[in-house]
Amino acid sequence: MNQLVFATNNANKVREIRAQLEDSYQFLSLADIGCHEDIPETAPTFEGNARLKSRHVYEGYGHDCFSEDTGLEVRALDWAPGVITARYAGPKRSAEDNMTKLLNALDGQKDRYARFHTVICLILGGQEHYFTGICPGSITLERAGDGGFGYDPIFIPEGETRTFAQMSDKEKLTFSHRAKAMTKLIEFLRENQ
């Protein structure tokens, strides 16, 4: 069975990806391969940050792997927070602080359009492949729901009236930016293995 490492320490992302990944791969986490260091995300783009994480694992540990970088982009804020989504309100990466800062930045703003943007970088046999998923939607006026993680309580995907935090994991997958990128990755693996 082929082994594939998902280069993240985020348990929520691991749970979402595991729900989609095919059984034809032995799925490994960073902890499974003994990678406990914090991998820097210093690139100015989602593609660049995904590549940094995948390259770190491939070159340092010798495993085929994939990583993703995801950001929330808000049109009225010139597409911020973007690549600093997790650190929008500061280095401690507090989801509550991030949501508060974003809602305050949009106070009185009529344009609430936003999108989640995911880029996956797969390194297979030394070759890099990229897969993108975008989920358009809008930012609420206040938090709603207690599921999900990150900005889920303030993001409503297009075509819905509920936030991601008000949906089950299965319902969220039907809209999810990460799920869209993962679907492309899974199709690629099916065709190339």
Side-chain angles (χ1 to χ4, degrees):
M1 182 181 288
N2 295 314
Q3 290 186 335
L4 195 59
V5 175
F6 179 26
T8 187
N9 285 312
N10 185 318
N12 292 306
K13 290 181 179 181
V14 169
R15 182 175 43 81
E16 280 190 3
I17 297 288
R18 271 207 174 116
Q20 271 194 286
L21 201 60
E22 297 289 293
D23 292 335
S24 58
Y25 276 83
Q26 180 185 359
F27 178 78
L28 302 173
S29 68
L30 288 178
D32 292 333
I33 63 168
C35 179
H36 301 289
E37 62 266 28
D38 191 25
I39 304 170
E41 297 179 40
T42 55
T45 63
F46 300 124
E47 292 86 353
N49 283 326
R51 183 181 190 276
L52 283 173
K53 292 181 276 188
S54 288
R55 277 275 148 213
H56 182 89
V57 171
Y58 185 77
E59 292 170 2
Y61 294 85
H63 289 277
D64 285 335
C65 64
F66 68 97
S67 67
E68 61 86 40
D69 196 40
T70 294
L72 178 63
E73 300 172 314
V74 182
R75 182 167 57 202
L77 302 178
D78 293 323
W79 305 110
V83 294
I84 63 161
T85 292
R87 300 174 308 282
Y88 185 50
K92 70 178 186 172
R93 298 176 178 220
S94 163
E96 284 301 314
D97 292 350
N98 287 337
M99 286 188 285
T100 297
K101 181 175 179 177
L102 186 64
L103 290 174
N104 288 340
L106 288 175
D107 188 36
Q109 178 62 247
K110 289 182 179 159
D111 181 6
R112 312 291 287 190
Y113 177 83
R115 64 188 179 211
F116 273 113
H117 185 161
T118 293
V119 176
I120 292 175
C121 174
L122 168 70
I123 299 182
L124 201 58
Q127 298 295 309
E128 294 177 11
H129 309 275
Y130 292 88
F131 310 93
T132 300
I134 293 175
C135 177
S138 61
I139 301 298
T140 60
L141 296 173
E142 58 188 30
R143 293 167 179 79
D146 55 9
F149 62 97
Y151 294 82
D152 286 357
I154 63 170
F155 183 82
I156 298 174
E158 199 171 80
E160 252 296 337
T161 57
R162 298 172 297 160
T163 67
F164 272 161
Q166 292 174 299
M167 297 179 186
S168 69
D169 288 347
K170 187 175 182 180
E171 289 173 318
K172 182 180 173 183
L173 278 178
T174 64
F175 297 97
S176 169
H177 42 289
R178 194 171 293 109
K180 289 174 183 177
M182 273 302 296
T183 297
K184 294 174 185 176
L185 168 66
I186 290 166
E187 288 170 0
F188 176 85
L189 291 172
R190 274 198 204 115
E191 292 169 4
N192 292 278
Q193 290 297 305

